[in-house]
Amino acid sequence: MKLDFPNVGETLHHTVLENGLTVYLLKKSGYEKTYATFTTKYGSIDRRFKTGDWVDVPDGIAHFLEHKMFEKEDGDVFQQFGRLGASANAFTSFTRTAYLFGATSNVSENLKTLIDFVQTPYFTEASVEKEKGIIGQEIQMYQDNPGWRLYFGLIEAMYAEHPVNIDIAGTIDSISAITADDLYRCHQAFYHPSNMVLFVVGNIDPDAILAEISANQAAKTFDAPLLTAREVIEEPETVHMTERVIEMDVSVSKVMIGYKDTPRPGKDGMKQELIVELLMHALFDTTAPLYAELYAEGLIDDAFSFDYTSEETFAFAVLSMETPHVETFVDRITSALERPLELGSETLDRKKRMMKGQFLKALNSPEFIANQFSRYALSGGNMFDIPDLLDAITLDDLYAAYDRLFQADHRTVCVVKKP
Amino acid sequence: MKGIEQFQQRLHYSVYPTQKFKTTTCLVSFAAPLSAETIADRALLPYVMEKATEAYPSIELFHTPLEQLYDASLYAGASKVGKEHVIQFQLEVVSDALVGEPVLSEAIKLLEEVLLRPNAYDGAFQPLIVEQEARLQRQRVESVYDDKMRFAQQRLQELLGGELAIPSFGTIAQLERVTPRTLFTAYESMIRHDRVDVYVVGDVNREQVTDAFAPLEGLGERFVRQYPQPVDREFQRLEEDQPINQSKLHLAYQVDIDPRSEDAVRMQVVNGLFGGFPHSKLFMNVREKESLAYYAASQYSSLSRMLFVYAGIDASNQAKTEAIIADQLADLQAGKFEDETLEQTKAMLYHQRRQLGDNPRQLIAWMSGSDIRPFSLEEEMAIIERTSRQDVAALANRLTLQAVYCLKGGTV
């Protein structure tokens, strides 16, 4: 199916293959590079699931599996991509694992390599053991990173039950329990074509690429999907802990203020994400009255940032700052958010233009398109709807989001500071 | 790269007209000789300038019209480039055709306000903004400590001395001497004496660009770009302890190669075999074979004539890791590597070059190096293609280990 999006100047080809694999192809004329992502809806939060019986797996296994997918009986997949002049990579998030390559030549061969290696598990006990040293160093590296510790400290304090409160890579202890059998079990459950999205963007011939992908998939046989359920978490709407202090040897204190939100799935979640982003831009951009006030007092500067995370089963807003005046900063921000919202349509219109501009600019990047489109697609949305969704948002939507999100018992403050 | 137009009015322009992007990207850069005396003022200057102008005298007032122009984004910053200090103002806007409004010309007017009519009176910038930005800059200097990779690299460069050791933002003591007046002096010097270059990538033509930037004609002076000469150094080693989990091992090799020569291009092949890619010797041996590290890589900086190696390891494995790194280099010097690895390295280097044109900012970064680099992208690829095993071995022998720095953890 061919879908035109004239307001963003893109045309998308969309197909669901017989085995359930969702394929998106986007032609970018004039681009040298073709970029492809092969993404499974499987991340660090999927630690208990049903394939016949309920299965529990060690924390960090989705990320561990991502690492081990690159090793095959006949060598390392990085080498195969390298021989074809492509650079490959992968990442694991709370909810997704993505494998990807960028290539300026041999696109068909690289695409075949990508699909085949992700669909061909090969694990041995020896190679699993070897990986524990490498991932152990990765975990140690993040342990020394104050920004990472702050972010996970915040999430741990916000969430009582939801496994988003566990580090994506797990711990040195939890990964020590991982076996080759565990990896096979997770691959079988989550790497079925019906749980995955393939996105290819570049100066491609969409019909020819689709024919190659279809032939590749038709030549393989897949069992029926095994996964019948994922654990449903009962997470309170309010935060687990309101404060958290992490002591580290840092030069300047770092603080994050988190507000826990109610997640919404699918298209509604996409709309909610845009509403909260518009709201946060209106409240916290350099053009906001609060920013000017705090800037004059030396309480806010370019070190300040904000972000909204929205997935099917969790959502939260984060304000982040580095300052020696943590208490004053937190007090000023939180008390401002306890007052009623004052926001006019002029500001909303300007923020809509701004976000539309940001979105259009991001479409220069094949990486952004493939990664973000896949993220929305795996939860039932279409990224190219963003301009229309933005247009439909009203001031009332922002007022409602403000009252829902910025409640005192939805707030956690996490600080990293010197002992 | 084919399709780049370079020409000189009084300013020097590099323009790449293309319709493939959703944006038009402009960059105005100001280059001056690197000096430890002026760096604190110059490094702070762009952060102060981008905040406000005479006509829009606060952050709020200046950023509002930028937001209104579909988020016209203005990024200002400064960096050390070899023997020069470069201040850059980058403007990125949605292309006019996509939104049906003349966004570009309006945004360039705002950029020109920043450059020509700053928020300054009687020879001094507005004190409030200077005070806040200087405070933040001091915090930036101090917070290098919190990023252990950056911290270790900074300490390594201090061991090497010369331009490499000059701190990018200046020292805390220098920053404390910056005032609204010294900053304005730095501004005046910048617009009078710096070499000014303009880069544009997007759906534009030459006339449009020269018309839009006409108000900047007359700024600056043209002078030939300076780059570092070889330095005689003693080998240095330093180890320091911090309460961290992972130790950071950083090595510096001096590269006895002129940055303008064909050998500098071939050296990219050596670096690619050594530690530039996931198929490289460092990654394959330090990480994949010995499981000593999550990252182990090398980076060649032709302009500073250095090749750096980095690995994050357990403190107890330092000697072993250093030995493996030395073995990998010895293999390269002896020409010991697979044909296939050489071909793979070349394929990756072609790929890196071919994809440059897909990203406006990377394209501009490439264009801004082109007056030091005498080769086009196509010529570079041809040089890479001709690089032989013998070339690699000979060039690997021109690497001399100059400094080893290890930030040691494990005392937690």
Side-chain angles (χ1 to χ4, degrees):
Chain A
M1 191 174 32
K2 206 169 122 179
L3 303 164
D4 273 315
F5 298 93
N7 53 351
V8 296
E10 303 289 359
T11 300
L12 185 70
H13 296 254
H14 172 214
T15 310
V16 179
L17 301 181
E18 222 164 288
N19 65 18
L21 177 64
T22 302
V23 181
Y24 291 100
L25 306 167
L26 188 84
K27 184 178 172 71
K28 275 276 197 189
S29 296
Y31 274 66
E32 292 288 331
K33 181 167 72 180
T34 297
Y35 181 80
T37 57
F38 197 14
T39 310
T40 162
K41 187 173 183 173
Y42 171 49
S44 64
I45 64 169
D46 296 300
R47 60 208 286 263
R48 181 172 164 77
F49 51 89
K50 198 171 176 187
T51 52
D53 295 327
W54 281 99
V55 180
D56 291 278
V57 287
D59 291 336
I61 194 165
H63 171 258
F64 202 103
L65 177 57
E66 173 231 297
H67 272 238
K68 282 324 308 166
M69 285 308 296
F70 283 90
E71 195 169 314
K72 302 294 179 213
E73 201 165 3
D74 56 353
D76 193 313
V77 180
F78 278 122
Q79 313 301 324
Q80 282 189 52
F81 281 111
R83 279 194 285 274
L84 296 165
S87 72
N89 212 335
F91 63 84
T92 308
S93 73
F94 294 123
T95 55
R96 287 171 296 139
T97 312
Y99 299 85
L100 56 96
F101 76 82
T104 46
S105 56
N106 307 310
V107 170
S108 299
E109 293 90 327
N110 280 309
L111 190 56
K112 183 178 181 310
T113 302
L114 175 70
I115 298 170
D116 289 349
F117 101 82
V118 174
Q119 292 186 333
T120 317
Y122 170 79
F123 313 116
T124 64
E125 291 306 338
S127 77
V128 167
E129 284 314 306
K130 193 200 73 181
E131 201 67 23
K132 290 175 182 173
I134 296 170
I135 296 180
Q137 280 303 324
E138 187 178 1
I139 292 170
Q140 300 280 40
M141 182 177 81
Y142 282 111
Q143 284 304 305
D144 290 334
N145 180 324
W148 187 258
R149 294 276 300 274
L150 179 62
Y151 184 64
F152 271 92
L154 178 81
I155 295 173
E156 274 169 29
M158 275 199 289
Y159 287 87
E161 305 294 336
H162 197 291
V164 67
N165 68 6
I166 299 163
D167 195 317
I168 291 168
T171 63
I172 291 183
D173 264 359
S174 74
I175 64 167
S176 72
I178 292 174
T179 64
D181 278 348
D182 291 334
L183 297 180
Y184 279 114
R185 191 167 300 125
C186 291
H187 188 275
Q188 222 178 5
F190 292 104
Y191 283 62
H192 192 274
S194 60
N195 193 45
M196 299 191 70
V197 169
L198 179 62
F199 200 110
V200 187
V201 48
N203 196 3
I204 50 171
D205 173 350
D207 294 332
I209 293 278
L210 180 61
E212 287 169 20
I213 296 167
S214 304
N216 174 290
Q217 291 299 281
K220 296 178 188 172
T221 49
F222 295 91
D223 296 334
L226 276 181
L227 182 71
T228 50
R230 302 179 197 230
E231 187 183 22
V232 176
I233 313 288
E234 294 292 328
E235 173 69 34
E237 286 199 352
T238 54
V239 292
H240 175 45
M241 291 157 66
T242 53
E243 281 176 13
R244 173 98 195 263
V245 176
I246 297 167
E247 292 187 341
M248 263 182 103
D249 178 32
V250 287
S251 68
V252 55
S253 299
K254 297 171 207 301
V255 58
M256 280 185 180
I257 307 174
Y259 285 92
K260 190 169 171 182
D261 202 357
T262 312
R264 310 193 64 177
K267 257 201 139 164
D268 291 342
M270 231 177 123
K271 190 175 175 195
Q272 173 165 307
E273 181 179 314
L274 294 171
I275 292 168
V276 174
E277 283 173 5
L278 280 169
L279 176 64
M280 292 181 83
H281 278 294
L283 291 167
F284 306 120
D285 273 341
T286 53
T287 51
L290 179 64
Y291 193 99
E293 195 184 307
L294 297 183
Y295 183 82
E297 295 170 48
L299 289 171
I300 207 166
D301 51 43
D302 290 346
F304 174 73
S305 65
F306 57 85
D307 184 50
Y308 183 63
T309 295
S310 162
E311 298 286 347
E312 279 176 66
T313 61
F314 58 92
F316 54 89
V318 177
L319 309 174
S320 171
M321 182 63 191
E322 298 183 14
T323 173
H325 313 292
V326 166
E327 278 178 27
T328 321
F329 171 79
V330 170
D331 181 57
R332 295 295 294 277
I333 293 272
T334 56
S335 54
L337 292 174
E338 278 161 15
R339 292 194 289 271
L341 178 65
E342 283 178 42
L343 189 65
S345 57
E346 195 195 317
T347 306
L348 176 59
D349 290 344
R350 175 159 42 86
K351 294 298 163 185
K352 283 184 180 181
R353 282 169 68 95
M354 179 183 164
M355 276 187 62
K356 229 183 257 186
Q358 283 178 355
F359 177 64
L360 290 170
K361 288 191 285 182
L363 297 181
N364 271 351
S365 160
E367 291 85 349
F368 173 85
I369 293 174
N371 291 326
Q372 289 304 309
F373 196 99
S374 299
R375 175 169 87 87
Y376 289 117
L378 284 169
S379 41
N382 182 327
M383 185 181 77
F384 290 126
D385 290 339
I386 284 178
D388 289 342
L389 287 171
L390 277 172
D391 280 339
I393 290 169
T394 64
L395 267 182
D396 286 347
D397 292 328
L398 270 67
Y399 275 86
Y402 184 87
D403 291 339
R404 183 191 70 240
L405 183 56
F406 298 117
Q407 303 183 55
D409 55 2
H410 287 227
R411 180 180 68 220
T412 296
V413 176
C414 185
V415 182
V416 168
K417 62 176 194 180
K418 267 201 179 115
Chain B
M1 175 112 200
K2 292 196 185 80
I4 295 173
E5 299 173 19
Q6 295 193 316
F7 52 95
Q8 187 140 358
Q9 311 277 80
R10 280 203 38 202
L11 298 177
H12 186 268
Y13 291 93
S14 303
V15 180
Y16 184 69
T18 173
Q19 292 186 343
K20 78 183 202 187
F21 298 121
K22 308 273 185 208
T23 54
T24 308
T25 307
C26 309
L27 184 115
V28 182
S29 87
F30 294 84
L34 185 65
S35 140
E37 277 67 56
T38 58
I39 199 163
D41 278 299
R42 281 184 62 96
L44 183 59
L45 186 57
Y47 293 118
V48 171
M49 287 176 67
E50 68 167 352
K51 296 290 182 300
T53 73
E54 189 180 58
Y56 304 93
S58 72
I59 301 181
E60 187 179 358
L61 290 170
F62 180 57
H63 287 192
T64 299
L66 289 168
E67 289 182 356
Q68 188 68 23
L69 292 170
Y70 294 94
D71 192 42
S73 31
L74 180 64
Y75 304 102
S79 55
K80 297 194 296 171
V81 182
K83 270 179 102 76
E84 295 191 340
H85 187 261
V86 180
I87 298 176
Q88 295 186 322
F89 298 86
Q90 183 197 282
L91 184 66
E92 192 187 49
V93 298
V94 175
S95 65
D96 293 358
L98 206 54
V99 290
E101 293 178 37
V103 179
L104 178 64
S105 55
E106 291 301 311
I108 290 177
K109 280 182 206 157
L110 291 168
L111 171 60
E112 285 165 358
E113 293 288 318
V114 167
L115 298 176
L116 301 174
R117 285 170 290 280
N119 187 24
Y121 304 89
D122 300 331
F125 278 93
Q126 191 203 75
L128 169 72
I129 292 178
V130 174
E131 185 190 325
Q132 300 309 344
E133 297 304 317
R135 179 186 50 70
L136 174 58
Q137 193 84 326
R138 289 196 292 275
Q139 196 170 301
R140 283 194 188 101
V141 172
E142 284 163 357
S143 67
V144 171
Y145 181 82
D146 303 338
D147 180 341
K148 301 307 174 192
M149 252 177 112
R150 274 183 63 203
F151 179 84
Q153 182 62 17
Q154 183 176 304
R155 297 293 280 157
L156 178 76
Q157 292 190 192
E158 285 168 15
L159 287 181
L160 294 167
E163 287 95 13
L164 286 165
I166 297 177
S168 305
F169 298 126
T171 61
I172 294 285
Q174 285 171 327
L175 270 164
E176 277 169 359
R177 292 196 292 272
V178 171
T179 68
R181 229 162 251 292
T182 63
L183 214 51
F184 192 77
T185 308
Y187 163 73
E188 286 192 305
S189 168
M190 176 187 94
I191 58 167
R192 279 189 200 147
H193 304 302
D194 276 27
R195 191 183 61 237
V196 188
D197 292 270
V198 177
Y199 304 89
V200 184
V201 171
D203 189 8
V204 292
N205 59 46
R206 192 187 271 222
E207 290 66 38
Q208 237 178 313
V209 170
T210 48
D211 284 354
F213 286 99
L216 301 188
E217 285 289 345
L219 295 191
E221 292 170 10
R222 293 309 302 174
F223 56 89
V224 176
R225 186 147 162 183
Q226 302 294 303
Y227 55 96
Q229 300 303 311
V231 182
D232 279 330
R233 298 187 183 90
E234 295 289 311
F235 173 78
Q236 305 267 354
R237 175 183 285 276
L238 180 63
E239 290 175 11
E240 292 179 302
D241 290 312
Q242 276 187 13
I244 50 177
N245 293 292
Q246 187 182 71
S247 300
K248 305 290 184 194
L249 178 63
H250 286 224
L251 284 70
Y253 295 85
Q254 175 150 293
V255 186
D256 174 28
I257 289 171
D258 188 301
R260 300 179 53 90
S261 66
E262 287 198 15
D263 278 345
V265 180
R266 290 187 196 103
M267 194 65 207
Q268 296 288 358
V269 181
V270 179
N271 179 60
L273 284 162
F274 193 23
F277 301 108
H279 71 261
S280 305
K281 283 178 159 289
L282 291 178
F283 192 90
M284 291 308 288
N285 289 285
V286 179
R287 173 172 153 143
E288 295 297 311
K289 191 165 160 222
E290 302 285 347
S291 292
L292 292 172
Y294 171 65
Y295 68 88
S298 69
Q299 194 188 346
Y300 171 45
S301 167
S302 60
L303 208 50
S304 35
R305 296 173 188 260
M306 299 302 301
L307 186 143
F308 298 108
V309 169
Y310 326 88
I313 55 171
D314 196 84
S316 62
N317 292 325
Q318 187 192 342
K320 188 174 175 189
T321 309
E322 283 191 43
I324 295 173
I325 293 169
D327 288 346
Q328 306 317 307
L329 182 59
D331 280 354
L332 291 180
Q333 289 167 337
K336 270 171 65 182
F337 47 85
E338 305 289 322
D339 282 334
E340 196 186 328
T341 319
L342 178 61
E343 289 315 308
Q344 208 169 327
T345 302
K346 290 180 178 182
M348 296 305 287
L349 291 169
Y350 302 146
H351 171 63
Q352 284 181 344
R353 278 157 186 74
R354 287 195 201 107
Q355 68 167 6
L356 271 177
D358 288 350
N359 179 317
R361 274 167 273 176
Q362 277 185 31
L363 193 56
I364 287 175
W366 167 268
M367 294 194 290
S368 69
S370 65
D371 53 337
I372 181 101
R373 204 187 303 107
F375 309 110
S376 69
L377 270 178
E378 292 77 10
E379 287 165 340
E380 277 206 2
M381 287 198 270
I383 296 168
I384 290 165
E385 196 180 352
R386 291 195 301 269
T387 305
S388 68
R389 177 183 303 275
Q390 290 71 28
D391 292 333
V392 170
L395 288 171
N397 276 296
R398 284 156 76 178
L399 296 174
T400 315
L401 186 60
Q402 286 284 301
V404 176
Y405 176 79
C406 191
L407 182 63
K408 295 183 86 158
T411 51
V412 179

